[in-house]
Amino acid sequence: QSALTQPPSASGSPGQSVTISCTGTSSDVGGYNYVSWYQQHPGKAPKLMIYEVTKRPSGVPDRFSGSKSGSTASLTVSGLQAEDEADYYCSSYAGSNNYVFGTGTKVTVL
Amino acid sequence: EVQLVESGGGLVQPGGSLRLSCAASGFTFSSYWMNWVRQAPGKGLEWVANIKQDGSEKYYVDSVKGRFTISRDNAKNSLYLQMNSLRAEDTAVYYCARGYSGAWYGWGQGTLVTVSS
């Protein structure tokens, strides 16, 4: 199972929006609505930000939103804040009880 | 609040074995699928294995099949990963994570496994 493709980096100024893409295939992202997104600060454990493509867990700011079109999912962070600077990973169910992660995107707040 | 605390990591020689443990609290452990996810130094995340609530179903990423065994003890609110025939490419931080609707909601702080001679 190949990793999902994410851009290595993305950036934006405080208050701006940044969108991260996550491209898979019809066997993973395109085939299931089990796409999730994780935020990871250096030296810390990942934190769930979005699940089932668009849902936010309790406590996650509504500045974070998810979407999907075909085999590409996206995470948008609106109103960028300094604390949003982190690595972000997407993940998808890939059938047959397998899961695949994205390659990761480093978000920089300028 | 979901709390997961991993232990058991360390330095092991290639071909050796190690058993990781994860102590859970703050939620009804026996009601959730549980997972191990790893992250090699400076690399991305990789799902390793998961286990059903009652332990009746277990699944693994291809690269660890036949070498790793996931298990759980609901009476002790604990998750385990027995790792045998370890290879250099198994070097990673291993996270315990609670399954939730195709995602992982609640992660431990991780335990580092280093496979090296």
Side-chain angles (χ1 to χ4, degrees):
Chain A
Q1 190 72 41
S2 298
L4 307 175
T5 301
Q6 297 181 233
S9 62
S11 62
S13 299
Q16 290 187 331
S17 294
V18 64
T19 297
I20 304 166
S21 61
C22 170
T23 301
T25 69
S26 58
S27 297
D28 38 62
V29 175
Y32 305 94
N33 286 323
Y34 287 115
V35 175
S36 51
W37 289 90
Y38 302 85
Q39 177 191 67
Q40 186 178 35
H41 289 108
K44 301 294 186 181
K47 175 186 176 183
L48 178 64
M49 306 303 284
I50 296 288
Y51 68 101
E52 289 183 14
V53 181
T54 62
K55 298 179 180 179
R56 272 188 316 276
S58 173
V60 172
D62 60 6
R63 303 185 293 104
F64 291 85
S65 62
S67 63
K68 189 182 85 165
S69 177
S71 297
T72 298
S74 298
L75 173 73
T76 297
V77 185
S78 305
L80 266 176
Q81 299 182 5
E83 59 262 36
D84 299 332
E85 184 162 298
D87 292 328
Y88 290 83
Y89 293 92
C90 63
S91 181
S92 175
Y93 180 65
S96 301
N97 284 283
N98 278 301
Y99 296 85
V100 61
F101 278 97
T103 50
T105 297
K106 182 176 180 60
V107 169
T108 301
V109 181
L110 301 171
Chain B
E1 180 190 357
V2 174
Q3 288 202 341
L4 298 165
V5 179
E6 302 93 338
S7 60
L11 175 63
V12 61
Q13 292 187 338
S17 298
L18 214 53
R19 188 193 194 209
L20 305 184
S21 299
C22 171
S25 61
F27 66 101
T28 305
F29 180 74
S30 59
S31 296
Y32 292 88
W33 282 78
M34 292 299 297
N35 299 256
W36 289 99
V37 177
R38 67 184 178 184
Q39 186 170 34
K43 302 297 184 182
L45 299 165
E46 179 183 40
W47 171 77
V48 174
N50 64 6
I51 184 169
K52 195 176 180 179
Q53 289 91 329
D54 62 359
S56 62
E57 296 181 35
K58 305 174 185 182
Y59 300 96
Y60 303 89
V61 67
D62 285 348
S63 59
V64 309
K65 284 179 182 175
R67 300 188 300 121
F68 289 11
T69 302
I70 188 172
S71 62
R72 65 192 296 163
D73 185 337
N74 288 342
K76 294 183 177 179
N77 289 341
S78 293
L79 176 72
Y80 307 100
L81 186 66
Q82 178 66 44
M83 303 186 296
N84 299 330
S85 302
L86 282 161
R87 307 167 179 168
E89 54 265 35
D90 296 318
T91 294
V93 173
Y94 285 73
Y95 293 101
C96 164
R98 188 185 76 169
Y100 182 78
S101 197
W104 299 277
Y105 187 15
W107 297 63
Q109 84 289 349
T111 188
L112 177 62
V113 172
T114 303
V115 184
S116 175
S117 55

